DNA sequence: CTGAAAGCGCTAACAG
DNA sequence: CTGTTAGCGCTTTCAG
């Protein structure tokens, strides 16, 4: 269990430590023969430079922190995949933190990061209205920060988001255009700002394009069975002919309710839903979905962050990525 | 953008660097007053020790690497959540790597890690039959390794898995016990060893408990539409009365096929499926699922790894965690 | 109780 | 072309 470090290589080859170091970095001031010898031994012993030492010396760790609410969630899984693609390409490493929606945890993580554990931070914040001294600390210490998806508009950092408002309006308009005259919006119970933004898009489209007298917004409990009950009751009493589900899970539950009360989709009622992994789409080939560019958000945010870290170009400029509306027709086989 | 390090604190307080260091570590050989002063300033300036420096000095990084195929997968999302719980409790950090099922990438990541970038590695291997020099390197360099889910039986490390074989047998027996006389197994196309292990459990249960003459194994393509077609054809021609889906996605597709050819579930045909996030269960409340203890696998593997890192107890002993069979009855409302 | 100094592994400025 | 040396920030002897 010998430690293979530069000192060891130098001793083995009867060279100075600095010569080995330079050879490994392919410096032009080292003779080809020496380089060859060094490379050969390094390869044979599978030498890897010690990350702590390089990091200390260079004052950079080649690591970025990714701080998200949690992972049991298709959206963030895809975001991470996008981030990972970039870090892999650019030889960076990902440190992963979950806040579990707890603002205090977010603060604690960020505080951990202010002194050079990472070169930059990608954050989807827990509480868009909380104060953000901890984030200011990052700015003060010169640690680049890029916000994505759940951002704080008051912060001055680069933000990468998707068009929740516009795509919700588009989705609603799509239902209107295909003939729906009474559209219900299934809202998630949890206090997620994105839920409100999407709702506003729904409201705007209704107002602009529909003759529907009043919006029909249903708050759906987090518990599946309770949500089932609530949706069941609403469908019976209100008899909407269109449903806009703000998250995929609600679309799936709604689908089951329709089945039970023998509503045909899409003949009797049309459903459209935000959806990332397309489980809902498996249900019924006629279900239309709006897919957030989750992977792209991760990829873009990571690229922005690394760009700032490497001090190429400016550190300003927000990015809003477009969601895709995917219409499916019954591929009757 | 001042660097807040020990030297800075020492200068501000007119103390020696070593005194500040000791005070921060709450050493008993520092006077209460000095400690108080140091703590106060450190808190005020939000001092955090530099991780690279501490790591270099102590020869430990407080980081573990988690190397998995990918993240777009409920199972691994839950595993990570379990790991994260442990690392958070024990003040460790997670470095995340995706192999994308590419053995060469796994080798490259592991090689990156052999020289002290992390204190230990959690790995779900890409190719259970490939050679494992790279993993031996970890052992040689004394970097603890715990394998989980996809393990190499020939390796001598701690392994954390779940009872794929037994739970598949249980699931099959469950179908037999509830009256199924012709049970089909929906196998995933991709060459995932776990698919074969589960299939063997199915075969064993058939042989032991059923009068079914021959097993009915259907290889399902990865593409959803193709899988639909294949399952559709099989249901028509073979008319099984029980389906065992090896993954949730296939259960969902199968459900849709049943709907199209007007098979009632569970009256005409019973479906049981491996499933982690219960999307399938939302479909039909009578769908019975087998849920792998994904979170537990992560939690257990992380605990084992940290135990080994901290050199408490032995480094041997595999863990096999039990899956849960969840039977659902139509909660007719 | 406090300070001076060495060294973790690496890189780079300075010498030759 | 190669070697000597200082120093990144921290902890820990060893001295006082």
């Amino acid at each position: 269990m010998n430690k293979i470090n530069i000192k060891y290589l130098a001793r083995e080859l009867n060279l100075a430590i600095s010569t080995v170091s330079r050879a490994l970095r392919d410096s032009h001031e080292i003779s080809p023969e020496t380089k060859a010898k060094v490379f050969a031994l390094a390869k044979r012993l599978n030498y890897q430079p010690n990350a702590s030492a390089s990091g200390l010396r260079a004052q950079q760790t080649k690591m970025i922190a990714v701080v998200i609410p949690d992972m049991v969630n298709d959206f963030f899984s895809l975001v991470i995949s996008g981030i990972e693609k970039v870090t892999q390409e650019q030889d960076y490493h990902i440190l992963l933190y979950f806040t579990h929606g707890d603002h205090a945890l977010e603060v604690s993580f960020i505080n951990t990061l202010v002194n050079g554990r990472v070169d930059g931070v990608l954050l989807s914040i827990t509480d868009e209205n909380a104060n953000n001294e901890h984030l200011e600390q990052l700015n003060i210490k010169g640690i680049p920060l890029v916000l994505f998806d759940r951002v704080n508009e008051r912060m001055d950092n680069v933000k990468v988001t998707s068009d929740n408002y516009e795509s919700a309006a588009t989705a609603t308009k799509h239902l209107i255009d295909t003939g729906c005259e009474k559209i219900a919006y299934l809202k998630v119970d949890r206090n997620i700002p994105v839920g409100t933004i999407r709702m506003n898009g729904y409201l705007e489209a209704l107002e602009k394009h529909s003759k529907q007298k009043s919006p029909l917004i249903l708050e759906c409990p987090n518990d599946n069975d309770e949500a089932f009950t609530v949706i069941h009751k609403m469908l019976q009493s209100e008899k909407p002919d269109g449903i806009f589900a703000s998250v995929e899970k609600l679309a799936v539950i709604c689908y089951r309710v329709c089945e039970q009360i023998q509503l045909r989709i899409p003949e009797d009622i049309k459903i459209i839903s935000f959806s990332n992994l397309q489980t809902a789409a498996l249900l019924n080939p006629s279900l239309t979905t709006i897919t957030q560019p989750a992977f792209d958000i991760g990829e873009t945010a990571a690229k922005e962050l690394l760009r700032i870290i490497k001090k190429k170009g400016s550190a300003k400029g927000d990015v809003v990525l477009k969601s895709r509306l995917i219409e499916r027709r019954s591929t009757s086989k």
Side-chain angles (χ1 to χ4, degrees), chain A residues 55 78 87 91 121 128 158 203 261 267 276 311 314:
Chain A
L78 287 167
T87 55
D91 195 26
V121 178
E128 312 194 12
V158 172
L203 292 174
I261 60 180
E267 291 81 1
N276 289 306
K311 301 207 172 13
S314 84

mmCIF file with all atom_site columns, all heavy atoms in Angstrom, chain A residues 55 78 87 91 121 128 158 203 261 267 276 311 314:
data_model
loop_
_atom_site.group_PDB
_atom_site.id
_atom_site.type_symbol
_atom_site.label_atom_id
_atom_site.label_alt_id
_atom_site.label_comp_id
_atom_site.label_asym_id
_atom_site.label_entity_id
_atom_site.label_seq_id
_atom_site.pdbx_PDB_ins_code
_atom_site.Cartn_x
_atom_site.Cartn_y
_atom_site.Cartn_z
_atom_site.occupancy
_atom_site.B_iso_or_equiv
_atom_site.pdbx_formal_charge
_atom_site.auth_seq_id
_atom_site.auth_comp_id
_atom_site.auth_asym_id
_atom_site.auth_atom_id
_atom_site.pdbx_PDB_model_num
ATOM 1  N N   . GLY A 1 55  ? -5.184  20.879 -5.360  1.00 0.00 ? 55  GLY A N   1
ATOM 2  C CA  . GLY A 1 55  ? -6.218  21.853 -5.045  1.00 0.00 ? 55  GLY A CA  1
ATOM 3  C C   . GLY A 1 55  ? -5.693  22.954 -4.149  1.00 0.00 ? 55  GLY A C   1
ATOM 4  O O   . GLY A 1 55  ? -5.938  24.148 -4.377  1.00 0.00 ? 55  GLY A O   1
ATOM 5  N N   . LEU A 1 78  ? -33.008 14.304 -14.340 1.00 0.00 ? 78  LEU A N   1
ATOM 6  C CA  . LEU A 1 78  ? -32.602 14.692 -15.686 1.00 0.00 ? 78  LEU A CA  1
ATOM 7  C C   . LEU A 1 78  ? -31.663 15.892 -15.653 1.00 0.00 ? 78  LEU A C   1
ATOM 8  O O   . LEU A 1 78  ? -30.710 15.962 -16.420 1.00 0.00 ? 78  LEU A O   1
ATOM 9  C CB  . LEU A 1 78  ? -33.843 15.010 -16.523 1.00 0.00 ? 78  LEU A CB  1
ATOM 10 C CG  . LEU A 1 78  ? -34.655 13.775 -16.938 1.00 0.00 ? 78  LEU A CG  1
ATOM 11 C CD1 . LEU A 1 78  ? -36.025 14.167 -17.471 1.00 0.00 ? 78  LEU A CD1 1
ATOM 12 C CD2 . LEU A 1 78  ? -33.888 12.979 -18.000 1.00 0.00 ? 78  LEU A CD2 1
ATOM 13 N N   . THR A 1 87  ? -19.722 18.234 -16.829 1.00 0.00 ? 87  THR A N   1
ATOM 14 C CA  . THR A 1 87  ? -18.575 18.054 -15.928 1.00 0.00 ? 87  THR A CA  1
ATOM 15 C C   . THR A 1 87  ? -17.651 16.967 -16.452 1.00 0.00 ? 87  THR A C   1
ATOM 16 O O   . THR A 1 87  ? -16.440 17.056 -16.306 1.00 0.00 ? 87  THR A O   1
ATOM 17 C CB  . THR A 1 87  ? -19.013 17.702 -14.493 1.00 0.00 ? 87  THR A CB  1
ATOM 18 O OG1 . THR A 1 87  ? -19.858 16.557 -14.516 1.00 0.00 ? 87  THR A OG1 1
ATOM 19 C CG2 . THR A 1 87  ? -19.743 18.860 -13.846 1.00 0.00 ? 87  THR A CG2 1
ATOM 20 N N   . ASP A 1 91  ? -13.862 17.736 -17.378 1.00 0.00 ? 91  ASP A N   1
ATOM 21 C CA  . ASP A 1 91  ? -13.023 17.195 -16.317 1.00 0.00 ? 91  ASP A CA  1
ATOM 22 C C   . ASP A 1 91  ? -13.267 17.869 -14.955 1.00 0.00 ? 91  ASP A C   1
ATOM 23 O O   . ASP A 1 91  ? -12.328 18.215 -14.252 1.00 0.00 ? 91  ASP A O   1
ATOM 24 C CB  . ASP A 1 91  ? -11.552 17.311 -16.731 1.00 0.00 ? 91  ASP A CB  1
ATOM 25 C CG  . ASP A 1 91  ? -10.664 16.453 -15.861 1.00 0.00 ? 91  ASP A CG  1
ATOM 26 O OD1 . ASP A 1 91  ? -11.155 15.451 -15.325 1.00 0.00 ? 91  ASP A OD1 1
ATOM 27 O OD2 . ASP A 1 91  ? -9.474  16.822 -15.702 1.00 0.00 ? 91  ASP A OD2 1
ATOM 28 N N   . VAL A 1 121 ? -20.980 26.817 -7.539  1.00 0.00 ? 121 VAL A N   1
ATOM 29 C CA  . VAL A 1 121 ? -22.187 26.206 -6.983  1.00 0.00 ? 121 VAL A CA  1
ATOM 30 C C   . VAL A 1 121 ? -23.354 26.321 -7.963  1.00 0.00 ? 121 VAL A C   1
ATOM 31 O O   . VAL A 1 121 ? -23.605 27.389 -8.514  1.00 0.00 ? 121 VAL A O   1
ATOM 32 C CB  . VAL A 1 121 ? -22.575 26.886 -5.653  1.00 0.00 ? 121 VAL A CB  1
ATOM 33 C CG1 . VAL A 1 121 ? -23.860 26.293 -5.097  1.00 0.00 ? 121 VAL A CG1 1
ATOM 34 C CG2 . VAL A 1 121 ? -21.448 26.769 -4.635  1.00 0.00 ? 121 VAL A CG2 1
ATOM 35 N N   . GLU A 1 128 ? -37.909 30.609 -2.268  1.00 0.00 ? 128 GLU A N   1
ATOM 36 C CA  . GLU A 1 128 ? -37.622 31.722 -3.175  1.00 0.00 ? 128 GLU A CA  1
ATOM 37 C C   . GLU A 1 128 ? -37.853 33.083 -2.526  1.00 0.00 ? 128 GLU A C   1
ATOM 38 O O   . GLU A 1 128 ? -37.523 34.107 -3.091  1.00 0.00 ? 128 GLU A O   1
ATOM 39 C CB  . GLU A 1 128 ? -38.464 31.571 -4.452  1.00 0.00 ? 128 GLU A CB  1
ATOM 40 C CG  . GLU A 1 128 ? -38.368 30.160 -5.003  1.00 0.00 ? 128 GLU A CG  1
ATOM 41 C CD  . GLU A 1 128 ? -38.885 29.999 -6.422  1.00 0.00 ? 128 GLU A CD  1
ATOM 42 O OE1 . GLU A 1 128 ? -39.124 30.995 -7.106  1.00 0.00 ? 128 GLU A OE1 1
ATOM 43 O OE2 . GLU A 1 128 ? -39.017 28.836 -6.848  1.00 0.00 ? 128 GLU A OE2 1
ATOM 44 N N   . VAL A 1 158 ? -26.436 34.592 -12.577 1.00 0.00 ? 158 VAL A N   1
ATOM 45 C CA  . VAL A 1 158 ? -26.984 33.965 -13.772 1.00 0.00 ? 158 VAL A CA  1
ATOM 46 C C   . VAL A 1 158 ? -28.068 32.983 -13.344 1.00 0.00 ? 158 VAL A C   1
ATOM 47 O O   . VAL A 1 158 ? -27.904 32.247 -12.372 1.00 0.00 ? 158 VAL A O   1
ATOM 48 C CB  . VAL A 1 158 ? -25.875 33.222 -14.546 1.00 0.00 ? 158 VAL A CB  1
ATOM 49 C CG1 . VAL A 1 158 ? -26.476 32.414 -15.683 1.00 0.00 ? 158 VAL A CG1 1
ATOM 50 C CG2 . VAL A 1 158 ? -24.854 34.209 -15.086 1.00 0.00 ? 158 VAL A CG2 1
ATOM 51 N N   . LEU A 1 203 ? -54.482 30.767 -16.391 1.00 0.00 ? 203 LEU A N   1
ATOM 52 C CA  . LEU A 1 203 ? -55.463 31.836 -16.243 1.00 0.00 ? 203 LEU A CA  1
ATOM 53 C C   . LEU A 1 203 ? -55.404 32.801 -17.422 1.00 0.00 ? 203 LEU A C   1
ATOM 54 O O   . LEU A 1 203 ? -56.424 33.206 -17.976 1.00 0.00 ? 203 LEU A O   1
ATOM 55 C CB  . LEU A 1 203 ? -55.223 32.594 -14.925 1.00 0.00 ? 203 LEU A CB  1
ATOM 56 C CG  . LEU A 1 203 ? -55.505 31.783 -13.654 1.00 0.00 ? 203 LEU A CG  1
ATOM 57 C CD1 . LEU A 1 203 ? -55.114 32.561 -12.408 1.00 0.00 ? 203 LEU A CD1 1
ATOM 58 C CD2 . LEU A 1 203 ? -56.985 31.381 -13.595 1.00 0.00 ? 203 LEU A CD2 1
ATOM 59 N N   . ILE A 1 261 ? -65.170 6.327  -13.739 1.00 0.00 ? 261 ILE A N   1
ATOM 60 C CA  . ILE A 1 261 ? -66.505 6.867  -14.007 1.00 0.00 ? 261 ILE A CA  1
ATOM 61 C C   . ILE A 1 261 ? -66.810 6.831  -15.500 1.00 0.00 ? 261 ILE A C   1
ATOM 62 O O   . ILE A 1 261 ? -67.704 7.500  -15.979 1.00 0.00 ? 261 ILE A O   1
ATOM 63 C CB  . ILE A 1 261 ? -66.652 8.309  -13.462 1.00 0.00 ? 261 ILE A CB  1
ATOM 64 C CG1 . ILE A 1 261 ? -65.640 9.255  -14.096 1.00 0.00 ? 261 ILE A CG1 1
ATOM 65 C CG2 . ILE A 1 261 ? -66.493 8.322  -11.946 1.00 0.00 ? 261 ILE A CG2 1
ATOM 66 C CD1 . ILE A 1 261 ? -65.749 10.680 -13.583 1.00 0.00 ? 261 ILE A CD1 1
ATOM 67 N N   . GLU A 1 267 ? -62.262 11.418 -26.139 1.00 0.00 ? 267 GLU A N   1
ATOM 68 C CA  . GLU A 1 267 ? -63.585 11.760 -26.666 1.00 0.00 ? 267 GLU A CA  1
ATOM 69 C C   . GLU A 1 267 ? -64.391 12.622 -25.687 1.00 0.00 ? 267 GLU A C   1
ATOM 70 O O   . GLU A 1 267 ? -64.937 13.669 -26.055 1.00 0.00 ? 267 GLU A O   1
ATOM 71 C CB  . GLU A 1 267 ? -64.369 10.499 -27.008 1.00 0.00 ? 267 GLU A CB  1
ATOM 72 C CG  . GLU A 1 267 ? -63.815 9.721  -28.199 1.00 0.00 ? 267 GLU A CG  1
ATOM 73 C CD  . GLU A 1 267 ? -62.641 8.833  -27.801 1.00 0.00 ? 267 GLU A CD  1
ATOM 74 O OE1 . GLU A 1 267 ? -62.284 8.811  -26.601 1.00 0.00 ? 267 GLU A OE1 1
ATOM 75 O OE2 . GLU A 1 267 ? -62.073 8.155  -28.690 1.00 0.00 ? 267 GLU A OE2 1
ATOM 76 N N   . ASN A 1 276 ? -42.138 14.772 -17.351 1.00 0.00 ? 276 ASN A N   1
ATOM 77 C CA  . ASN A 1 276 ? -40.754 14.673 -17.771 1.00 0.00 ? 276 ASN A CA  1
ATOM 78 C C   . ASN A 1 276 ? -40.378 13.306 -18.308 1.00 0.00 ? 276 ASN A C   1
ATOM 79 O O   . ASN A 1 276 ? -39.769 13.187 -19.346 1.00 0.00 ? 276 ASN A O   1
ATOM 80 C CB  . ASN A 1 276 ? -39.824 15.056 -16.618 1.00 0.00 ? 276 ASN A CB  1
ATOM 81 C CG  . ASN A 1 276 ? -39.900 16.535 -16.336 1.00 0.00 ? 276 ASN A CG  1
ATOM 82 O OD1 . ASN A 1 276 ? -39.715 17.341 -17.231 1.00 0.00 ? 276 ASN A OD1 1
ATOM 83 N ND2 . ASN A 1 276 ? -40.226 16.900 -15.118 1.00 0.00 ? 276 ASN A ND2 1
ATOM 84 N N   . LYS A 1 311 ? -13.618 32.198 -16.106 1.00 0.00 ? 311 LYS A N   1
ATOM 85 C CA  . LYS A 1 311 ? -13.537 33.630 -16.390 1.00 0.00 ? 311 LYS A CA  1
ATOM 86 C C   . LYS A 1 311 ? -13.526 33.945 -17.873 1.00 0.00 ? 311 LYS A C   1
ATOM 87 O O   . LYS A 1 311 ? -12.827 34.841 -18.341 1.00 0.00 ? 311 LYS A O   1
ATOM 88 C CB  . LYS A 1 311 ? -12.293 34.229 -15.738 1.00 0.00 ? 311 LYS A CB  1
ATOM 89 C CG  . LYS A 1 311 ? -12.255 34.046 -14.233 1.00 0.00 ? 311 LYS A CG  1
ATOM 90 C CD  . LYS A 1 311 ? -11.468 35.124 -13.569 1.00 0.00 ? 311 LYS A CD  1
ATOM 91 C CE  . LYS A 1 311 ? -11.590 35.072 -12.037 1.00 0.00 ? 311 LYS A CE  1
ATOM 92 N NZ  . LYS A 1 311 ? -12.181 33.856 -11.466 1.00 0.00 ? 311 LYS A NZ  1
ATOM 93 N N   . SER A 1 314 ? -18.674 37.276 -19.828 1.00 0.00 ? 314 SER A N   1
ATOM 94 C CA  . SER A 1 314 ? -19.270 37.952 -18.681 1.00 0.00 ? 314 SER A CA  1
ATOM 95 C C   . SER A 1 314 ? -19.990 36.972 -17.780 1.00 0.00 ? 314 SER A C   1
ATOM 96 O O   . SER A 1 314 ? -20.258 35.845 -18.145 1.00 0.00 ? 314 SER A O   1
ATOM 97 C CB  . SER A 1 314 ? -20.278 38.989 -19.161 1.00 0.00 ? 314 SER A CB  1
ATOM 98 O OG  . SER A 1 314 ? -21.521 38.379 -19.399 1.00 0.00 ? 314 SER A OG  1
#
